[in-house]
Amino acid sequence: MGLAEDVDALGALAEPQRLRVYEHLAGLGQPSSLTEISEALAMGRTLAAFHLGKLVEAGFVEALAPVPGGRGRPSQRYRVSRHEVSASVPARHYELVAEVLLLAAEEQGAAEPLTRTASRVARRHGAAVAATHRPARVPRTARARTAMVSSLLDDLGYAPRVDAGQLLLRNCPFDRLRQTNCQLVCSINHALAEGYLDGLGVTASLTATLRPSEASCCVVVSSTLG
């Protein structure tokens, strides 16, 4: 999900009454019917149904299949979903580094440096992410391949810009963590970028180079074809 979609989703919670409905459901910890929600919040059924519909549409609430049994028609029940949304400007994805490090902690051998393990995990993770965006046929031209990579990196928050045939990444999604341990975080970022290219099937024509910069991302994507 991109920044625009995240902001739109979060906008669903900007309405005070809708937020009340969400917080009530979240506090229950179990499914609840429209009638139960309406009565608990002293809110009209029509209004409660409207806000529930908006929360379902945004992905914050799930509408469960009615459970048969008892008298009368079974009631539709609702519960909060596990859907998570966050939005920051510029885009940040600190959870990605945390995930890589947790997996690296499981894989790290007794004599292997953390940087090496984390880079291996990051490249594998990057390839998996990119594979879900890979088209059935990889574009033939260098321009089309660069555009494909740029589109993925844009979705991931890197804010890419084509400059003299290179993709310059103007935003570091891990900026605050980079200030804590630049070498480790930048090596993870570099490995992720290599994984993105691998997953898209363009490593024969594009390469990710580590080029540290305080003002932007430390990775530059360049053509290997000259």
Side-chain angles (χ1 to χ4, degrees):
M1 182 178 283
L3 177 61
E5 291 82 0
D6 284 344
V7 171
D8 286 343
L10 287 172
L13 297 175
E15 209 286 328
Q17 293 290 75
R18 194 170 306 150
L19 182 59
R20 283 184 67 214
V21 173
Y22 177 80
E23 289 179 336
H24 172 69
L25 274 175
L28 288 176
Q30 62 183 16
S32 184
S33 69
L34 171 59
T35 298
E36 292 168 340
I37 295 169
S38 174
E39 291 178 352
L41 297 177
M43 182 185 295
R45 283 176 55 87
T46 301
L47 183 58
F50 171 75
H51 288 313
L52 280 168
K54 291 296 184 180
L55 290 169
V56 170
E57 182 180 326
F60 293 117
V61 167
E62 296 174 333
L64 305 179
V67 179
R71 294 183 178 182
R73 184 178 179 181
S75 299
Q76 179 85 65
R77 303 184 75 77
Y78 300 88
R79 69 180 179 191
V80 294
S81 71
R82 300 184 66 182
H83 179 56
E84 296 181 3
V85 173
S86 62
S88 59
V89 180
R92 302 291 186 229
H93 293 290
Y94 300 116
E95 75 287 349
L96 181 52
V97 172
E99 183 177 353
V100 167
L101 289 174
L102 286 173
L103 291 172
E106 294 180 355
E107 290 189 19
Q108 186 181 16
E112 184 175 36
L114 176 59
T115 300
R116 182 182 301 172
T117 314
S119 293
R120 182 175 65 249
V121 171
R123 178 159 186 161
R124 187 173 68 230
H125 187 85
V129 169
T132 64
H133 291 71
R134 182 172 178 170
R137 292 186 178 182
V138 177
R140 289 188 174 184
T141 67
R143 178 176 295 181
R145 291 187 175 196
T146 299
M148 177 178 66
V149 174
S150 179
S151 177
L152 172 62
L153 293 174
D154 189 48
D155 288 345
L156 295 172
Y158 286 92
R161 175 173 60 88
V162 178
D163 185 4
Q166 294 182 321
L167 271 179
L168 304 182
L169 311 183
R170 294 171 291 173
N171 179 55
C172 174
F174 320 119
D175 185 64
R176 209 180 331 157
L177 296 179
R178 186 173 62 171
Q179 297 173 31
T180 302
N181 190 328
C182 185
Q183 180 181 2
L184 177 59
V185 173
C186 286
S187 66
I188 290 174
N189 193 21
H190 182 210
L192 283 168
E194 291 180 326
Y196 300 147
L197 300 182
D198 188 21
L200 290 175
V202 295
T203 53
S205 57
L206 292 170
T207 185
T209 305
L210 190 60
R211 189 182 301 176
S213 170
E214 293 185 3
S216 61
C217 177
C218 59
V219 175
V220 174
V221 177
S222 309
S223 172
T224 60
L225 302 180

